[in-house]
Amino acid sequence: MIKLHDLEFEPFISEEEIINSIKNISEELNRDYEGKKPVFLAVLNGSFMFASEVVKRFKGDCEISFVKLGSYEGTETSGNVKTLLGLNQDLKGRYVILLEDIVDTGNTLAEIDKILKEAKVENYKIATLFYKPEAYKKSIPVNYVGMEIPNKFIVGFGLDYDGLGRNLTQVYKRKEN
Ligand code: IMP
Ligand code: MG
């Protein structure tokens, strides 16, 4: 059990399980993007650890770029997604692989979908480490999923609770009393 700010969390997903699911995604990406020189577009802050694990397993030429969006306040989404750092690279005509730590309601994806449509990319797909199917409210397909999880609040492996917990190498879930 660990405590972050005022909340208690218990172990939920081991580092080994996380890395195995990233290996599976990476195999698919190596197969699907061979010779395509994709741009990985990681959504800050949460996806930095996932992004590093995916990019280091990609075998061909690739680039990485970052955008930053924010919606969460504490353990709840505010529903209001702000672009805090936009695209700083021309993605016109490129194959883009969006890297997300977790897809929850999908509000963040809907916002990025707009950004990428405006950027006139050749094609874009979404890869997420965690996916909460019960919370997802959008119709945008989530193409590569590391692990489906129940609608619970988790921390670790890049994911935070009010800034804390990103450094944890395994995933914890909020303790239910
Ligand atoms: P969405 O816009 O509701 O899909 O939420 C996406 C963003 O909210 C993610 O990129 C995370 O930063 C954050 N988020 C969603 N669920 C969790 C969670 O269980 N723990 C920590 N952050 C989360
Ligand atoms: Mg995020």
Side-chain angles (χ1 to χ4, degrees):
M1 210 269 297
I2 57 159
K3 195 164 181 216
L4 300 172
H5 299 295
D6 55 325
L7 297 183
E8 293 181 337
F9 293 85
E10 57 196 10
F12 185 40
I13 305 167
S14 71
E15 184 173 8
E16 192 187 353
E17 284 176 90
I18 297 167
I19 296 297
N20 277 336
S21 66
I22 294 174
K23 283 182 183 161
N24 291 335
I25 289 182
S26 295
E27 268 176 36
E28 292 183 56
L29 293 176
N30 274 314
R31 193 186 59 217
D32 296 350
Y33 286 88
E34 199 184 340
K36 291 201 163 81
K37 208 192 272 186
V39 182
F40 289 101
L41 186 64
V43 185
L44 295 171
N45 294 329
S47 71
F48 73 96
M49 245 187 227
F50 175 52
S52 136
E53 296 297 331
V54 168
V55 170
K56 71 191 190 192
R57 288 181 173 81
F58 192 76
K59 297 200 175 93
D61 284 353
C62 65
E63 294 175 48
I64 181 158
S65 202
F66 298 90
V67 288
K68 182 167 180 173
L69 291 99
S71 67
Y72 256 62
E73 286 161 8
T75 64
E76 298 289 336
T77 175
S78 70
N80 175 17
V81 182
K82 283 175 241 158
T83 304
L84 306 170
L85 175 72
L87 278 182
N88 66 349
Q89 183 182 352
D90 185 11
L91 296 180
K92 192 166 177 232
R94 301 296 302 270
Y95 286 86
V96 175
I97 305 162
L98 193 75
L99 297 177
E100 260 286 24
D101 49 353
I102 186 162
V103 174
D104 184 33
T105 62
N107 290 333
T108 307
L109 282 190
E111 207 52 41
I112 298 177
D113 186 68
K114 281 191 228 159
I115 296 173
L116 291 178
K117 283 192 172 132
E118 270 171 39
K120 298 196 165 34
V121 302
E122 173 67 28
N123 165 286
Y124 92 87
K125 301 273 177 187
I126 297 158
T128 187
L129 179 53
F130 300 110
Y131 175 48
K132 296 181 186 169
E134 294 157 31
Y136 194 57
K137 293 195 292 247
K138 305 287 173 186
S139 53
I140 304 164
V142 184
N143 311 99
Y144 302 90
V145 174
M147 243 180 264
E148 290 193 357
I149 60 163
N151 198 1
K152 309 256 186 236
F153 188 77
I154 61 170
V155 294
F157 214 85
L159 291 143
D160 73 306
Y161 166 49
D162 267 349
L164 296 184
R166 296 196 195 277
N167 55 319
L168 300 166
T169 56
Q170 60 172 320
V171 163
Y172 293 76
K173 77 169 163 38
R174 189 174 168 184
K175 195 162 174 249
E176 283 149 60
N177 300 304

